[in-house]
């Protein structure tokens, strides 16, 4: 069963079957990132009809770029290829909740919706004080709420494979 965390500010919205399929693809991209020597994070962008338009891996290690998070890489690709009006109709799927930096990029990149699997709080519990992932306790919804437009978010979505891709990586 899929669960989505809800708060008073974010009522429960169930992930659809299409959302789950895209999240699983994002986790596959995260595994590809890990297999390639990077941190296990992956993201993809879908168009308004659900077609996968772009995918991006984390490239922090291989590119020696602290900003090479999967979501930020995806936003860079997206804004180079599509205009802002089109991006507002798109959804960014990610294996793990976007960090504060990525949330800012998503907002300024005009992405219209975000769906994520593993929550940042769960990631922090897995990584602890690992210097390779200095996780911030700042939910993406808080970053988006500070903006001037609505940015709907679904997540965390309980997807065991989103946790599994991190298993043993941060030890």
């Amino acid at each position: 069963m899929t669960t989505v965390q809800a708060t008073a500010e974010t009522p429960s919205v169930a992930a659809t079957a299409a959302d789950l399929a895209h999240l699983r693809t994002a986790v596959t991209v995260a595994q590809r990132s890990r297999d390639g020597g990077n941190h296990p994070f992956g993201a993809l962008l879908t168009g308004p009809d659900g077609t996968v338009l772009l995918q991006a891996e984390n490239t922090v290690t291989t590119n020696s770029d602290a900003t090479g998070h999967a979501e930020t890489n995806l936003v860079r690709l997206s804004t180079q290829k599509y205009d802002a009006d089109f991006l507002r109709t798109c959804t960014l799927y990610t294996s793990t909740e976007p960090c504060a930096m990525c949330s800012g990029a998503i907002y300024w990149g005009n992405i219209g919706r975000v769906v994520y699997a593993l929550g940042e709080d769960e990631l922090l519990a897995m990584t602890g004080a690992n210097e390779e992932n200095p996780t911030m306790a700042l939910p993406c919804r808080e970053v988006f709420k500070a903006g001037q437009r609505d940015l709907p978010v679904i997540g965390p979505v309980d997807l065991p494979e989103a946790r599994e891709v991190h298993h043993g990586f941060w030890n």
Side-chain angles (χ1 to χ4, degrees):
M1 177 170 174
T2 301
T3 57
V4 177
Q5 182 177 346
T7 68
E9 295 176 5
T10 57
S12 179
V13 177
T16 66
D19 290 336
L20 291 172
H22 291 313
L23 283 175
R24 286 189 173 97
T25 301
V27 172
T28 299
V29 175
Q31 183 64 56
R32 194 168 63 226
S33 178
R34 180 178 177 164
D35 293 344
N38 285 295
H39 299 167
F41 301 101
L44 61 96
L45 183 76
T46 63
D49 64 354
T51 301
V52 176
L53 303 173
L54 297 168
Q55 297 181 359
E57 300 175 20
N58 177 289
T59 57
V60 167
T61 303
T62 56
N63 287 354
S64 298
D65 178 3
T67 67
H69 293 195
E71 300 90 344
T72 303
N73 288 338
L74 186 69
V75 171
R76 283 186 193 114
L77 293 169
S78 300
T79 57
Q80 291 170 359
K81 188 165 183 163
Y82 302 106
D83 68 35
D85 289 336
F86 179 73
L87 288 171
R88 282 188 200 94
T89 69
C90 294
T91 299
L92 185 146
Y93 291 90
T94 182
S95 59
T96 306
E97 182 174 4
C99 71
M101 175 185 69
C102 292
S103 296
I106 292 164
Y107 176 81
W108 283 306
N110 293 301
I111 306 296
R113 177 175 172 252
V114 172
V115 181
Y116 68 90
L118 187 69
E120 186 82 359
D121 56 343
E122 233 184 315
L123 177 64
L124 178 58
M126 293 174 154
T127 63
N130 189 306
E131 65 185 36
E132 285 192 45
N133 193 50
T135 302
M136 297 175 116
L138 182 58
C140 68
R141 284 180 176 89
E142 289 299 310
V143 176
F144 298 146
K145 189 168 66 172
Q148 297 178 8
R149 67 175 174 93
D150 258 352
L151 206 159
V153 177
I154 295 177
V157 176
D158 185 18
L159 203 62
E161 49 265 58
R163 289 185 293 280
E164 183 60 32
V165 73
H166 291 274
H167 183 73
F169 185 84
W170 304 103
N171 303 359

